[in-house]
Amino acid sequence: MNIQSAINRAVFAPRDERMLVAVEVKRRKRKRVPFLPTGGKGDYMTYICLSVTNKRPAQLLITKVKQFGGSAPFTRRSQWAVEQLRQVNGINPNKDCPEFDLVFDNAFDQWVASSAPEKCIFIQIMYHACQTYWEGKEGVPGSPAGDQQKGQRVQGSPGGQGSPGAQVGQIGGPVAQARRKSTVGPRPHHTEFVNCQSKLTGDACKMNLVLYRCKVFFNRMKKVMVSNQSRSQTGAGPRAGPSGQRPPGGSMGSVVQRASQALQERGERLGRAEDKTVDLMHKAQQFADTAHKLALKYSN
């Protein structure tokens, strides 16, 4: 069972929630409290998780989970609703990087993910989850956005008459209109994604998600191989086999490294191809506009 399944089973399943994605993070600027002793590195691990409730209407939540001392139990430390998430900052819109910021109504956190691909997966899934959540929220009766749309439909009915209830509200004058405005309430703000790569927030991004998952897998394999190799060197040192050959650990690590490098190069080529496609689309549009203008000129 991987770490995300363990977090989902320990933290979210008992609360009738379903985790969508989690990323291991560390603070870029560690917060220091003067009257508390500062622990050493590796005392705990922090995860930022995105989850959704199973009950209707569904709620989208961002949760900070910690694992102390490398033990199995996970602890839920902080949780925010997506309405409190004002901004997601990807830091660099031109290349993959592990840094990102989360800006809430009452908090501002600067994080570094364990790897750039894991951060890209997290932002990509969060972006599309937020889009789906807000699109569903627009049409839910009883929500501020849904009530606002309903009021607009009543006022914009044919002939300017509307329903009898709307006519009564108009007769009531400014007092009734103010009462309706207070019932509707302000429209909730949507989460803003800034400095994020277009391949993370675009429509054609399923292939990018597969590539990032492959990169994460190869990075984890590489870490495991490096840790196993360091343990063997620390213990008894590399031993030769019966025929005087060394164990295949180093060759396996090089294979994983070459595969990871090839996958990264393929991702870069796909990114360049995507940029060229967008450029060709713009040029085709300009050509179509020019042809249309010429046709109009010579038709007259």
Side-chain angles (χ1 to χ4, degrees):
M1 183 169 55
N2 59 13
I3 192 69
Q4 297 200 18
S5 300
I7 295 175
N8 185 36
R9 178 176 297 183
V11 178
F12 297 102
R15 302 175 63 88
D16 199 18
E17 300 175 14
R18 177 170 54 90
M19 191 183 72
L20 302 179
V21 65
V23 59
E24 181 184 347
V25 296
K26 292 182 179 179
R27 290 191 181 275
R28 293 210 303 273
K29 297 180 180 179
R30 188 177 294 271
K31 294 182 178 180
R32 296 183 179 274
V33 182
F35 53 85
L36 290 179
T38 58
K41 295 183 179 180
D43 290 342
Y44 62 87
M45 301 175 69
T46 306
Y47 300 90
I48 302 296
C49 308
L50 180 68
S51 65
V52 62
T53 58
N54 294 324
K55 295 181 180 180
R56 299 293 178 181
Q59 296 292 322
L60 194 62
L61 304 171
I62 299 96
T63 309
K64 180 164 56 175
V65 176
K66 289 191 176 183
Q67 183 184 22
F68 290 91
S71 57
F74 298 92
T75 305
R76 185 175 69 94
R77 301 304 299 257
S78 305
Q79 191 172 62
W80 300 270
V82 72
E83 288 83 0
Q84 297 175 281
L85 180 61
R86 292 193 172 274
Q87 186 184 91
V88 178
N89 191 340
I91 305 300
N92 193 333
N94 299 320
K95 67 176 183 179
D96 297 342
C97 65
E99 297 86 3
F100 67 98
D101 296 342
L102 298 179
V103 182
F104 298 95
D105 289 337
N106 57 353
F108 172 61
D109 293 327
Q110 297 177 319
W111 299 109
V112 178
S114 57
S115 65
E118 292 189 22
K119 170 244 185 174
C120 293
I121 292 174
F122 178 77
I123 288 185
Q124 185 173 357
I125 294 178
M126 175 179 281
Y127 174 80
H128 289 282
C130 289
Q131 295 298 313
T132 303
Y133 176 79
W134 288 117
E135 289 174 2
K137 201 76 171 177
E138 294 289 341
V140 175
S143 65
D147 290 342
Q148 189 173 9
Q149 285 187 352
K150 184 177 179 182
Q152 292 174 356
R153 287 196 297 269
V154 170
Q155 294 177 3
S157 59
Q161 298 296 326
S163 62
Q167 293 178 2
V168 173
Q170 291 175 359
I171 295 174
V175 176
Q177 293 179 5
R179 186 180 297 115
R180 285 200 306 274
K181 288 182 179 180
S182 63
T183 304
V184 171
R187 185 187 180 100
H189 69 275
H190 291 196
T191 304
E192 181 184 14
F193 287 77
V194 298
N195 296 327
C196 297
Q197 295 171 282
S198 59
K199 61 183 178 182
L200 303 181
T201 58
D203 295 331
C205 55
K206 292 184 178 180
M207 181 59 68
N208 293 326
L209 187 59
V210 173
L211 290 174
Y212 284 129
R213 291 189 185 278
C214 292
K215 288 182 180 180
V216 170
F217 174 74
F218 281 119
N219 286 336
R220 288 176 181 173
M221 285 186 62
K222 184 178 179 180
K223 289 180 181 178
V224 170
M225 295 298 300
V226 170
S227 62
N228 291 339
Q229 190 174 8
S230 63
R231 287 177 184 176
S232 62
Q233 291 178 357
T234 305
R239 296 182 180 179
S243 59
Q245 298 179 353
R246 292 184 177 273
S251 61
M252 185 63 183
S254 61
V255 169
V256 172
Q257 186 177 2
R258 287 197 299 270
S260 176
Q261 184 177 359
L263 187 63
Q264 185 176 0
E265 293 175 355
R266 180 177 177 82
E268 293 176 355
R269 287 197 297 270
L270 285 174
R272 290 194 295 269
E274 183 180 359
D275 295 338
K276 289 181 180 179
T277 303
V278 174
D279 189 22
L280 288 175
M281 288 176 60
H282 288 308
K283 290 182 179 179
Q285 185 64 36
Q286 293 176 358
F287 179 78
D289 295 340
T290 304
H292 182 65
K293 291 179 181 178
L294 289 174
L296 292 176
K297 179 179 178 181
Y298 289 103
S299 63
N300 297 328

